[in-house]
Amino acid sequence: MNNLITTIAFDADDTLWINEPYFQEAENKFCALLEDYLPQHSVSQELFKTEMQNLHLYGYGIKGFMLCMVETVCRISNSTASMELISKTIEIGHELLMKPVELLDGVAETLESLKGKYRLVVATKGDLLDQERKLKKSGLQDYFHHIEIMSDKKENDYRKLLKHLDCKPEQFLMLGNSIKSDIVPVLEIGGFAGHIPYHVTWTHEQYDVQLEHDRFLEFKNIKEVLNYL
């Protein structure tokens, strides 16, 4: 048991609820739309290239993804794509925005066990409206003291969050599925970070370096967190 921790922050997408499989499903539909121009795996590579080029402009989330799909259509087709193809591309994004919010196994029970014992926070990246929508649909809002929808998850972003919460790094535990975004920056500023793996990870969030740190925790699932605290 760790007696220092007073505040626990949770990533949202693929930590509290399903997200990446929906994006992969949308991307597969998009790549199939453009197979008259390029093989599907090549379309996927072009889309990722567009996303990386625009990340500093659009940030993370479905709306940025939609814009990147449209831009990729224009580039791959040399701006000859029909309006019907553009419309179908936008429709893929709309479908993504309307996906149900499906909680991951053990989330509600874990939050119920921690409620009242710790200050619980959501710390997630993404589009503001979309993340607010998902949180509302999830039915989890009442568990959280604070909701932080971040433009990015770098060390300085976490420092700002801790300042806002008036929380020392050694009192803070971040839980999430991304080593790159949820774990490494928090360890760098002196906090605790627990990795809860998810079976699929967006290419941009993949982190292949073996991590060893005395404040790094590894869990098989979210319920295992209760054994540590």
Side-chain angles (χ1 to χ4, degrees):
M1 179 178 289
N2 190 301
N3 295 320
L4 291 174
I5 292 167
T6 61
T7 301
I8 303 173
F10 294 81
D11 173 51
D13 294 334
D14 300 319
T15 299
L16 298 178
W17 52 67
I18 293 172
N19 180 66
E20 183 58 22
Y22 293 150
F23 269 90
Q24 291 195 357
E25 178 188 338
E27 182 174 322
N28 289 338
K29 288 181 182 178
F30 173 70
C31 293
L33 271 184
L34 294 179
E35 61 185 354
D36 287 345
Y37 295 96
L38 282 176
Q40 292 192 25
H41 71 276
S42 298
V43 176
S44 179
Q45 290 170 350
E46 289 299 318
L47 176 59
F48 184 70
K49 184 164 74 175
T50 309
E51 289 179 283
M52 293 303 99
Q53 288 171 346
N54 290 324
L55 200 53
H56 70 292
L57 294 172
Y58 302 154
Y60 298 87
I62 295 175
K63 291 173 190 172
F65 180 68
M66 290 171 70
L67 287 168
C68 288
M69 285 194 294
V70 171
E71 185 178 323
T72 303
V73 171
C74 295
R75 188 172 72 250
I76 287 176
S77 71
N78 261 338
S79 298
T80 63
S82 66
M83 285 308 297
E84 183 185 7
L85 190 54
I86 298 293
S87 293
K88 286 180 177 177
T89 298
I90 293 170
E91 189 179 317
I92 290 171
H94 284 166
E95 288 174 0
L96 196 50
L97 283 165
M98 298 309 293
K99 287 290 185 184
V101 176
E102 186 176 343
L103 297 184
L104 292 169
D105 185 47
V107 165
E109 303 95 301
T110 301
L111 293 175
E112 187 64 38
S113 294
L114 296 172
K115 185 181 178 182
K117 301 172 187 173
Y118 299 89
R119 183 167 52 166
L120 305 182
V121 171
V122 172
T124 189
K125 287 190 295 194
D127 176 78
L128 177 64
L129 283 176
D130 186 42
Q131 293 294 53
E132 286 181 339
R133 173 190 66 84
K134 287 193 282 191
L135 191 60
K136 187 176 181 180
K137 280 189 172 183
S138 74
L140 300 176
Q141 274 180 307
D142 291 345
Y143 287 111
F144 297 107
H145 165 83
H146 177 72
I147 312 296
E148 188 78 12
I149 298 170
M150 306 156 86
S151 58
D152 208 344
K153 283 183 167 179
K154 300 284 176 61
E155 291 173 36
N156 206 41
D157 300 294
Y158 283 106
R159 286 194 186 98
K160 287 179 183 176
L161 173 61
L162 291 183
K163 184 177 181 181
H164 177 79
L165 295 171
D166 194 21
C167 177
K168 296 176 182 177
E170 61 269 22
Q171 298 173 319
F172 181 74
L173 169 63
M174 178 70 200
L175 299 171
N177 67 298
S178 171
I179 296 283
K180 183 178 179 181
S181 293
D182 302 319
I183 306 301
V184 173
V186 175
L187 296 176
E188 289 294 328
I189 66 168
F192 289 86
H195 183 228
I196 303 169
Y198 192 61
H199 66 279
V200 288
T201 305
W202 183 33
T203 305
H204 180 62
E205 293 293 340
Q206 291 174 4
Y207 188 89
D208 298 325
V209 181
Q210 184 66 33
L211 193 59
E212 291 186 15
H213 198 290
D214 59 358
R215 292 190 303 277
F216 173 51
L217 312 166
E218 293 186 85
F219 303 109
K220 291 178 183 175
N221 55 63
I222 197 166
K223 288 182 282 191
E224 278 196 354
V225 174
L226 301 175
N227 298 330
Y228 171 76
L229 295 166

